[in-house]
Amino acid sequence: MNQSGPIIRRKLSDEVLDRLKGLIAGGELQPGDEMPSERELMARFKVGRPAIREAMQALASMGLVAISHGERAKVLELSARSIINQVDATAKMMLASSKDSLEHLKSARIFFERGMVREAAEKASKDDIARLREIQETQRAALGNAEAFIVADMLLHTQIAVISGNPIYVAFSEAMLSWLKEYHTEMLIWTGKENITLSEHEEIIDCIARHDAGAAENAMIKHLERSRALYARNVAS
């Protein structure tokens, strides 16, 4: 800590924010609880309404509370999914503004999913395999329906992450697939590549069912390297 620098006076709203975060972190306010009213907080902290409102908006932007018009703010339950959701809009803006960022995301997805599929091959139960095959059939039934086909595709890949038992992996999988979906072109549906996708998915599931981690990883890499070209930035003409 710099002991010789100038003393910086903090905004009242920052002080209120720290106090409110402390109440949540300390357990005084639990997920699902209503936050105290503005009047109660003003009396408790001896500050004006603007400081309370600014602090509450900061809590909402951090994903710690939900604010609804006409109702008391409520404390949210923190999860990997809720935390990652806080960067969702920013991530999409970054991808929209940079071709390099989209390419980096594609590469990150391959790196992530090759590890996920290895873990799935090592851990998958009979029920896990049955669930993957069920999703595969749902996707097959969606042939000709672009939106439903892609949704089933995303669900299959996320389900592979679910097998790990790690909710952080699942949240990352859902986030990456959601961001990529913004750039998924209709090439998949209108060039007949949906049948190739189904065949590759079946190969991946078969490798997982055999608990062959190496073969599952190779099948996933082949699948994602081929399909990465189906994600492209929409450039206005």
Side-chain angles (χ1 to χ4, degrees), residues 69-89:
H69 181 68
E71 297 180 5
R72 291 267 192 98
K74 288 188 178 180
V75 180
L76 296 175
E77 182 172 3
L78 286 179
S79 66
R81 181 181 284 107
S82 68
I83 292 169
I84 292 175
N85 282 346
Q86 296 307 305
V87 302
D88 188 71

Side-chain angles (χ1 to χ4, degrees), residues 15 21 37 65 69 77 83 94 105 149 176 180 201 235:
E15 294 288 351
K21 286 194 297 184
S37 69
V65 302
H69 181 68
E77 182 172 3
I83 292 169
M94 178 186 73
L105 179 58
F149 191 89
M176 284 192 291
L180 282 169
H201 281 174
V235 181

Side-chain angles (χ1 to χ4, degrees), residues 2-230:
N2 184 359
Q3 301 292 340
S4 60
I7 296 175
I8 299 174
R9 184 175 181 178
R10 300 186 74 199
K11 292 170 57 179
L12 282 176
S13 61
D14 290 338
E15 294 288 351
V16 174
L17 177 61
D18 282 350
R19 299 282 186 90
L20 294 176
K21 286 194 297 184
L23 294 177
I24 295 171
E28 184 173 334
L29 291 171
Q30 297 283 335
D33 287 350
E34 290 187 340
M35 294 291 291
S37 69
E38 288 184 351
R39 189 179 299 276
E40 290 175 272
L41 292 174
M42 289 165 60
R44 181 169 184 168
F45 298 137
K46 303 296 189 292
V47 297
R49 195 179 303 274
I52 298 298
R53 289 187 171 177
E54 191 173 336
M56 291 295 290
Q57 288 296 331
L59 285 178
S61 68
M62 296 167 65
L64 294 176
V65 302
I67 300 176
S68 300
H69 181 68
E71 297 180 5
R72 291 267 192 98
K74 288 188 178 180
V75 180
L76 296 175
E77 182 172 3
L78 286 179
S79 66
R81 181 181 284 107
S82 68
I83 292 169
I84 292 175
N85 282 346
Q86 296 307 305
V87 302
D88 188 71
T90 306
K92 288 177 179 177
M93 288 177 62
M94 178 186 73
L95 292 170
S97 64
S98 169
K99 181 178 179 180
D100 287 344
S101 294
L102 181 58
E103 291 303 317
H104 293 159
L105 179 58
K106 294 178 192 176
S107 296
R109 182 198 176 188
I110 293 174
F111 182 83
F112 176 79
E113 291 216 30
R114 64 191 294 181
M116 285 298 89
V117 79
R118 288 191 67 93
E119 189 154 350
E122 293 166 358
K123 292 184 174 181
S125 66
K126 289 182 179 180
D127 287 344
D128 290 327
I129 302 302
R131 176 60 178 146
L132 291 176
R133 296 203 188 282
E134 178 186 339
I135 297 170
Q136 169 83 342
E137 289 310 307
T138 298
Q139 186 177 27
R140 192 184 306 280
L143 281 168
N145 183 331
E147 180 67 21
F149 191 89
I150 293 170
V151 167
D153 189 299
M154 294 167 62
L155 181 59
L156 180 69
H157 283 274
T158 299
Q159 189 63 32
I160 290 173
V162 168
I163 295 172
S164 71
N166 187 325
I168 295 178
Y169 291 162
V170 178
F172 272 121
S173 177
E174 290 175 337
M176 284 192 291
L177 290 168
S178 172
W179 299 336
L180 282 169
K181 186 175 183 292
E182 299 289 317
Y183 303 93
H184 203 303
T185 72
E186 294 303 306
M187 290 168 58
L188 175 67
I189 302 302
W190 303 119
T191 60
K193 287 184 170 62
E194 69 272 31
N195 285 317
I196 298 175
T197 294
L198 289 169
S199 177
E200 290 172 345
H201 281 174
E202 187 170 355
E203 181 183 0
I204 291 167
I205 294 170
D206 287 344
C207 292
I208 294 173
R210 296 198 309 270
H211 302 290
D212 189 335
E217 180 181 5
N218 290 335
M220 181 64 79
I221 292 171
K222 180 181 73 172
H223 169 57
L224 295 181
E225 287 289 1
R226 180 195 63 79
S227 65
R228 71 183 296 165
L230 301 179

